[in-house]
Amino acid sequence: MKLEDKKRVLREMVLARRFEERCYQAYMERKIGGFLHLYPGQEACCIGVMEAARPGYDYVITGYRDHIHAIKCGADPKEVMAELYGKETGSSKGRGGSMHIFDVKHRFMGGYALVGGPFPLAAGLGKGIQMKGGDEIAICFLGDAANNQGTFHETMNMVALYKLPVLFVCENNHYGIGTAIDRSTAVVDQYKRVCGYGIESAQCDGQDVEVVYEHARRAVDYVRSRKGPYFLELITYRYRGHSMSDSRSYRSREEEEMWKKRDPIFILRDRLIEAGALTQEEFHKLEKEIDDYIENEVVRFAEESPEPDVRDLEKYVLADRETQLPWLTGKVA
Ligand SMILES: Cc1ncc(C[n+]2csc(CCOP(=O)(O)OP(=O)(O)O)c2C)c(N)n1
């Protein structure tokens, strides 16, 4: 990664962290309702992988921990925040909330609440790309527990059989809600689980964004050159609970502190400082700039945006038979 790119990536990771922490605060203030799954600790995963891909050009799909993936694809943080606030200006018009951020314009094909749900959809995206031609790829981000779903195995078989251009990124944060991976999964090294399907795979440190980027570059090149699907496992950790109702009683504070010593933002920050490319003061200035942006633009936009009109409650939620599904009405041959 070039120095300029590293500095930009540091900024993006700080934005991701502060955005999520601000969501936490807004939830506690009851400005955000419903479910909320936050990403602090895992920033190097999505940002490092997408740095090696083409955000806004390659198709991306993921689970419910989806805000940062959408933003990295090009979604406006203001629209993502407005979605969390349930406002009409949100990326899903306020009807989806945290788990259903979509930004089709930037080829962010959605966050999904159903664990494992995105696997077959990613295969479909890959099949679509293959039929259309072109050099896009589909990237499917998912957690380690999702790999125990039946959809995982059916999808791995099909993508391997048809050599679909899909990169699977497993963000292994060691927990599925409150269950540690070694209590739910026979083979904890997730990258080994796809060998039986003949899929290329690798595992790497998910805390060091440069390491993630290097591995992702190889994986993306492999998929883009149409050699077939690829499975990349990133070893990472989420600092907060699974969702807002999780007290994290299933893990020790020592374990959390140990992971915080390998904070993805601090790893890159310290490396830049050591190389003389950044000072502590510049870093604080960056944090302040980002906090101001989130407060004065992102949060303000969400707060000032209108609520959806209650008469439009079903708009965008249920398919409109007349205009959106004309074949159901028999008007299309
Ligand atoms: C089909 C289905 N089964 C169960 C759930 C309940 N559930 C929500 S999150 C979750 C754990 C998923 O963990 P993982 O895939 O590792 O992702 P992480 O939360 O760690 O990012 C489960 C079982 C669900 N949402 N969907």
Side-chain angles (χ1 to χ4, degrees):
M1 230 187 269
K2 291 202 229 72
L3 181 61
E4 281 319 297
D5 294 331
K6 286 184 205 178
K7 286 188 165 181
R8 181 176 43 74
V9 159
L10 181 68
R11 167 179 281 277
E12 289 178 13
M13 289 202 294
V14 173
L15 174 72
R17 175 75 52 90
R18 303 299 232 198
F19 183 94
E20 295 289 84
E21 295 299 357
R22 191 59 184 80
C23 291
Y24 179 89
Q25 188 188 328
Y27 191 93
M28 298 311 274
E29 292 165 358
R30 296 174 181 265
K31 299 274 177 61
I32 295 176
F35 285 93
L36 182 67
H37 306 87
L38 299 174
Y39 202 55
Q42 299 186 208
E43 294 87 353
C45 297
C46 154
I47 291 175
V49 168
M50 289 311 294
E51 211 32 47
R54 295 189 204 159
Y57 181 74
D58 292 323
Y59 293 90
V60 171
I61 190 164
T62 188
Y64 43 78
R65 217 175 285 287
D66 57 350
H67 318 154
I68 303 308
H69 300 74
I71 292 172
K72 180 66 183 169
C73 285
D76 187 335
K78 294 204 278 294
E79 290 179 17
V80 176
M81 188 63 87
E83 185 58 36
L84 303 180
Y85 270 66
K87 297 293 182 79
E88 185 72 27
T89 52
S91 50
S92 301
K93 312 280 186 202
R95 310 307 200 267
S98 168
M99 298 199 281
H100 305 104
I101 309 289
F102 273 79
D103 193 317
V104 177
K105 192 169 81 199
H106 293 101
R107 298 195 171 172
F108 179 69
M109 307 309 284
Y112 290 83
L114 287 183
V115 172
F119 286 129
L121 299 178
L125 289 169
K127 186 70 191 155
I129 293 169
Q130 193 182 60
M131 289 168 76
K132 247 181 9 172
D135 69 345
E136 295 106 321
I137 66 170
I139 305 177
C140 178
F141 288 89
L142 272 173
D144 42 284
N147 299 344
N148 289 333
Q149 276 283 3
T151 53
F152 171 78
H153 299 278
E154 294 181 25
T155 302
M156 293 306 140
N157 182 49
M158 296 309 281
V159 293
L161 180 67
Y162 294 132
K163 284 195 180 317
L164 299 180
V166 188
L167 168 59
F168 295 93
V169 179
C170 172
E171 300 191 38
N172 181 352
N173 63 16
H174 302 88
Y175 290 94
I177 311 188
T179 305
I181 186 166
D182 57 359
R183 295 183 62 223
S184 66
T185 308
V187 175
V188 293
D189 283 325
Q190 301 298 295
Y191 76 105
K192 292 182 182 166
R193 300 178 77 185
V194 297
C195 297
Y197 297 103
I199 295 176
E200 282 295 314
S201 65
Q203 181 191 58
C204 75
D205 178 7
Q207 300 305 95
D208 185 331
V209 74
E210 291 188 69
V211 171
V212 173
Y213 169 74
E214 285 306 328
H215 278 77
R217 220 161 43 98
R218 279 195 287 278
V220 165
D221 287 350
Y222 181 92
V223 178
R224 207 181 295 290
S225 60
R226 298 298 183 253
K227 294 197 179 85
Y230 196 101
F231 185 95
L232 179 61
E233 178 185 8
L234 308 174
I235 304 297
T236 187
Y237 199 76
R238 60 165 155 73
Y239 293 159
R240 292 209 170 269
H242 165 71
S243 68
M244 294 299 286
S245 57
D246 175 359
S247 63
R248 290 145 41 215
S249 54
Y250 48 84
R251 63 190 198 190
S252 68
R253 294 298 168 252
E254 290 75 38
E255 178 184 301
E256 295 189 353
E257 287 315 310
M258 187 189 83
W259 277 94
K260 283 186 182 168
K261 291 200 182 108
R262 300 218 64 248
D263 185 292
I265 295 176
F266 296 162
I267 290 176
L268 183 59
R269 177 199 66 184
D270 294 349
R271 201 173 283 152
L272 288 173
I273 290 177
E274 245 171 61
L278 182 78
T279 64
Q280 220 27 284
E281 294 68 48
E282 283 167 341
F283 181 72
H284 289 317
K285 204 168 137 238
L286 169 69
E287 286 184 309
K288 166 97 182 49
E289 249 174 58
I290 286 173
D291 283 345
D292 289 348
Y293 163 68
I294 291 178
E295 212 50 49
N296 302 332
E297 297 193 40
V298 176
V299 173
R300 179 180 290 180
F301 177 80
E303 302 238 342
E304 291 178 356
S305 289
E307 301 275 352
D309 189 321
V310 73
R311 283 167 302 192
D312 290 339
L313 204 60
E314 290 184 358
K315 204 171 161 190
Y316 313 119
V317 176
L318 302 174
D320 172 349
R321 291 175 69 93
E322 290 301 317
T323 57
Q324 294 173 17
L325 294 176
W327 57 89
L328 277 184
T329 62
K331 286 184 190 152
V332 172

